[in-house]
Amino acid sequence: MTSPMIVDVSSQTALMPAWIVTPGAPLQPGIGLDDRDEDSIKSQVWPLAYGQWLAGGWRSHGKTMSGETRRAYQRSVEDFSAFVGAKFPLWKVKGSQVIGWQNAMRGRGLSETSINLRLSGLSALYAFLCDKFAFPDPRNVNRDMFLVERNPVKVATRTKIDPYTSEHADGLSQDEIRAMLHRIDRSTVGGLRDYALVCSIFLTGQRSAAISRLKWGDIKHPVAESDVIEYRWSSKAKEGRDELLRPAYEAILAYLAAAGRLETMRAEDYIFIALSDVATRLPNVKAAVERGPQPITGAMVNRIVKKCARRAGLDESRIHTHTLRHSAALFLSENGVDLIGIQRTLHHSNPNTTMLYLRALKRDRHPLWKSVGAFFEGM
């Protein structure tokens, strides 16, 4: 076991208002250590523990979480907190409550994959609290305390899911991808954005988050027609540089020009943003304006992909953002790219993962067309 992260909350420190738990919220000084029960101590330490988990991105196996994973895990903890209620502290959670949350999510219609991901997020927090976050007991500095002694998520049985079954690994044919792109209305700013987004995800084979969070400065813009266009990406705690094919780059330029943003783009500006001004009308208006337009969310990307599939006559219930990544792998394989080349494009750490990926995609796939006539509509 790795050594825990020891936090200095000695008896002297615990009485000092300067010991900050969260910005502007010092650990509350007590009238006397003897008056501090365990719950009172833990309630004051909890915000620091949770904040350090989010800031450091710890996971039980010691690796650092990507930003996207951290946000997903945070949403999982928030959802569970809402389930158990604000009056019930998370350090008192029992396994039965986790199982109750799991069943409640099923009742809300969440897929087993989504439920497993949320359980993973909650489990990562408890693993951190059990293994890595220890602090001296303010009543007895010779004794260390942990917020929790065991991970309550371990009692919940997770449904085993094969990510390479036909249910989860569908790839679109070249004709189907062409139909999706063809049916996007590029006479509007929204349509140009959607076209650039779908085109970029497919032509890079990236996970959608790596493209949806792309910034203007991440692209190495060409000077001459023959220049190779590169972009910097980060996904799942990995990062690197890859080629951005010219059709995707030109689609991005067309979208930004139509949106009136091309001439004013700064290196730190996100490319794919929401087209409404809803964020600026939220209660915290000043913060929203100062941060600038934020990237579209994963849920929004998924809605865009499904909308494009629906307009092309495809069965949207079987298509999601990752389908474009599957389709890129299938496209490369069908056009003669070898296993290692596909592995590098998809950024798989192990070629065996790529092999399983391709094997699943080459199975007999369920038909994705709602009607053949939809394919020819408007052509």
Side-chain angles (χ1 to χ4, degrees):
M1 178 184 295
T2 57
S3 59
M5 177 188 300
I6 302 297
V7 181
D8 182 12
V9 288
S10 63
S11 57
Q12 292 181 345
T13 305
L15 291 173
M16 294 173 59
W19 190 75
I20 302 298
V21 175
T22 55
L27 185 70
Q28 297 297 320
I31 58 175
L33 294 179
D34 292 339
D35 297 324
R36 288 172 176 267
D37 60 20
E38 191 165 301
D39 277 348
S40 176
I41 295 168
K42 289 184 176 181
S43 67
Q44 295 184 62
V45 173
W46 165 255
L48 174 68
Y50 186 59
Q52 287 200 359
W53 176 66
L54 286 178
W58 299 98
R59 298 179 73 175
S60 57
H61 48 66
K63 293 185 179 179
T64 301
M65 288 188 272
S66 67
E68 191 70 19
T69 300
R70 188 178 304 138
R71 285 185 289 274
Y73 280 10
Q74 182 177 7
R75 290 192 293 269
S76 299
V77 174
E78 290 171 352
D79 188 69
F80 179 70
S81 297
F83 173 76
V84 297
K87 294 183 179 180
F88 197 94
L90 291 191
W91 59 84
K92 285 189 171 183
V93 162
K94 300 187 182 304
S96 58
Q97 290 169 299
V98 176
I99 294 174
W101 179 49
Q102 184 181 33
N103 292 331
M105 287 190 285
R106 286 173 179 150
R108 285 153 50 189
L110 271 67
S111 68
E112 291 300 322
T113 300
S114 296
I115 292 172
N116 285 353
L117 288 173
R118 294 196 179 193
L119 288 171
S120 295
L122 187 64
S123 182
L125 170 62
Y126 278 111
F128 170 74
L129 298 177
C130 289
D131 300 338
K132 297 182 181 297
F133 192 92
F135 55 96
D137 187 337
R139 302 161 300 186
N140 181 357
V141 294
N142 296 316
R143 185 176 80 91
D144 285 344
M145 291 180 65
F146 284 87
L147 276 169
V148 294
E149 299 295 334
R150 61 183 61 85
N151 187 342
V153 184
K154 288 186 176 181
V155 305
T157 302
R158 306 184 200 186
T159 303
K160 292 184 178 180
I161 297 172
D162 178 5
Y164 302 109
T165 60
S166 59
E167 180 184 353
H168 299 91
D170 274 322
L172 302 178
S173 69
Q174 296 179 46
D175 284 340
E176 290 165 339
I177 287 289
R178 190 180 297 112
M180 274 187 69
L181 293 171
H182 175 75
R183 294 295 295 157
I184 297 174
D185 181 8
R186 282 181 279 170
S187 65
T188 67
V189 174
L192 286 168
R193 181 201 60 186
D194 296 350
Y195 181 86
L197 180 67
V198 172
C199 192
S200 297
I201 296 175
F202 172 67
L203 290 179
T204 60
Q206 282 283 8
R207 295 177 176 87
S208 61
I211 299 301
S212 65
R213 299 185 65 83
L214 198 64
K215 295 180 179 180
W216 186 243
D218 291 333
I219 299 176
K220 181 183 177 182
H221 301 279
V223 177
E225 186 71 23
S226 58
D227 288 349
V228 174
I229 307 168
E230 293 183 342
Y231 72 102
R232 182 173 57 248
W233 59 270
S234 61
S235 177
K236 286 189 171 290
K238 299 178 183 178
E239 58 182 22
R241 298 194 71 92
D242 276 332
E243 181 177 359
L244 181 64
L245 296 182
R246 192 165 288 272
Y249 179 70
E250 291 177 348
I252 290 173
L253 296 184
Y255 147 57
L256 293 175
R261 300 174 57 210
L262 184 59
E263 300 301 325
T264 59
M265 288 293 286
R266 302 166 300 175
E268 65 271 21
D269 289 342
Y270 290 103
I271 292 173
F272 297 105
I273 62 174
L275 299 179
S276 71
D277 62 347
V278 172
T280 62
R281 290 185 270 115
L282 294 174
N284 195 355
V285 175
K286 183 178 180 182
V289 172
E290 289 178 349
R291 284 192 307 158
Q294 295 300 292
I296 57 178
T297 63
M300 190 171 182
V301 175
N302 198 45
R303 288 197 295 270
I304 290 171
V305 171
K306 285 183 174 293
K307 177 182 67 177
C308 294
R310 182 172 64 251
R311 290 181 175 177
L314 301 174
D315 180 1
E316 64 178 289
S317 67
R318 300 189 58 82
I319 298 174
H320 45 81
T321 52
H322 221 59
T323 305
L324 298 177
R325 181 168 160 85
H326 296 162
S327 303
L330 195 62
F331 177 84
L332 293 172
S333 178
E334 291 175 346
N335 284 275
V337 178
D338 62 18
L339 178 66
I340 300 302
I342 298 173
Q343 177 200 353
R344 288 173 178 168
T345 299
L346 300 180
H347 307 297
H348 285 156
S349 301
N350 192 322
N352 290 333
T353 302
T354 311
M355 191 178 298
L356 287 170
Y357 213 74
L358 293 173
R359 188 178 299 162
L361 291 172
K362 289 181 178 180
R363 293 173 183 165
D364 292 334
R365 302 193 307 280
H366 293 282
L368 294 173
W369 294 103
K370 282 185 176 177
S371 66
V372 175
F375 175 74
F376 296 96
E377 184 181 350
M379 297 184 70

